[in-house]
Amino acid sequence: MPTVFTIGTNKKSLERFIRLLQEAEVDAVIDIRLRNTSQLAGYAKRDDLGFLLREGFGIEYQHRPELAPTAEIMNAFKKEQDFAAYEGAFLPLLAERDATAIGHDLLSRFQRPCLLCAEPIPDLCHRRLVAEWWAAHVPGVEVVHLT
């Protein structure tokens, strides 16, 4: 059964972040952040993170912004703090962008991929929604959140 992991960078030291990935035997980090170059933690910036994961730990890195919400959806959520509205806007976007095909593609190339975003926990995060989308549309997918 394929397993999709999820993880957030915020409120995690680099050591904790890497240990969680290693313990789960993650072979690829799929960065689904819309904005992945302005994070406060240096290790979480796109280029630094990709280098660190590949060169330091043998973990593949991909940025897949098509699995991120649009700036409009993100800005509305930040302003209103209404996750139900956020989810209602984001899920149709996943269908429009054919997230199921993306999931099939990634799961055919990686054994233990991990969806990455910034939120420390998955409860109010789009990485959970993407993982749940795949679990509902790709047969046999199990979801595990690394916190």
Side-chain angles (χ1 to χ4, degrees):
M1 175 181 310
T3 301
V4 172
F5 297 90
T6 79
I7 194 168
T9 58
N10 286 0
K11 298 185 181 179
K12 284 183 187 68
S13 68
L14 173 58
E15 180 179 356
R16 176 83 177 132
F17 177 77
I18 294 296
R19 294 228 186 274
L20 286 168
L21 296 175
Q22 289 177 318
E23 289 167 7
E25 299 178 354
V26 165
D27 62 348
V29 168
I30 311 303
D31 186 345
I32 62 172
R33 297 174 293 172
L34 182 62
R35 300 177 185 112
N36 66 356
T37 58
S38 63
Q39 302 298 315
L40 294 177
Y43 81 85
K45 293 179 183 175
R46 176 191 61 216
D47 295 338
D48 294 335
L49 183 59
F51 174 80
L52 175 69
L53 290 171
R54 278 190 300 271
E55 299 299 320
F57 301 98
I59 299 172
E60 185 61 39
Y61 172 85
Q62 287 191 12
H63 181 219
R64 300 300 295 260
E66 66 271 31
L67 295 174
T70 63
E72 294 78 20
I73 293 171
M74 282 293 297
N75 292 339
F77 176 65
K78 286 180 181 178
K79 181 179 179 185
E80 302 297 326
Q81 296 296 305
D82 182 350
F83 195 76
Y86 177 86
E87 186 173 357
F90 184 60
L91 292 179
L93 186 63
L94 288 177
E96 179 183 316
R97 292 178 175 174
D98 202 3
T100 303
I102 296 167
H104 279 289
D105 175 56
L106 291 170
L107 289 165
S108 72
R109 293 193 291 149
F110 303 111
Q111 298 297 308
R112 299 175 71 81
C114 184
L115 298 174
L116 169 92
C117 85
E119 293 298 321
I121 59 172
D123 300 359
L124 300 178
C125 180
H126 75 285
R127 75 177 185 267
R128 177 182 60 82
L129 299 177
V130 173
E132 288 175 357
W133 179 277
W134 288 350
H137 295 90
V138 178
V141 168
E142 177 187 359
V143 176
V144 175
H145 301 289
L146 305 175
T147 54

